[in-house]
Amino acid sequence: MTASHRMEGGHAVVTGGTRGIGSAISMQLARAGAHVTAVYARNDKAAEAFKAKAAAEGYAVDVLRADLTSSKGIDAVVACVEARKTLTLSVVHCAAT
């Protein structure tokens, strides 16, 4: 990855980020150096598998279960971003529900 595409020290939030294309995007952002928060709605098993895969490759990721169709879910994502205390460089919306 070229220097212009590096994200060291930054944070990325990917909704729908633990499965399918969202998972692939999450991993690419992690490979670019971002700390990734992959948001998911229901599938705990897939989220844990994603987190284990990322950890095995040495990448910093968090998974966050949040229903983005509710204000409570949106608040959870906002709280996560605020808690990181680093610049959020990217928000990618891949959620299908």
Side-chain angles (χ1 to χ4, degrees):
M1 186 153 300
T2 65
S4 64
H5 292 97
R6 300 300 300 168
M7 297 182 71
E8 274 92 1
H11 180 225
V13 177
V14 182
T15 66
T18 62
R19 297 187 312 147
I21 191 134
S23 174
I25 291 168
S26 293
M27 289 301 291
Q28 279 300 103
L29 291 168
R31 289 180 184 117
H35 182 98
V36 175
T37 299
V39 181
Y40 70 104
R42 290 179 288 286
N43 194 328
D44 293 323
K45 186 175 180 179
E48 288 306 314
F50 167 77
K51 189 171 182 177
K53 176 184 176 187
E57 293 186 31
Y59 301 117
V61 302
D62 291 321
V63 294
L64 173 66
R65 185 172 184 168
D67 178 357
L68 299 178
T69 65
S70 74
S71 59
K72 183 178 176 182
I74 298 295
D75 290 345
V77 174
V78 169
C80 172
V81 168
E82 290 174 344
R84 289 288 321 150
K85 300 200 185 306
T86 57
L87 180 62
T88 298
L89 298 172
S90 181
V91 176
V92 181
H93 182 63
C94 296
T97 46

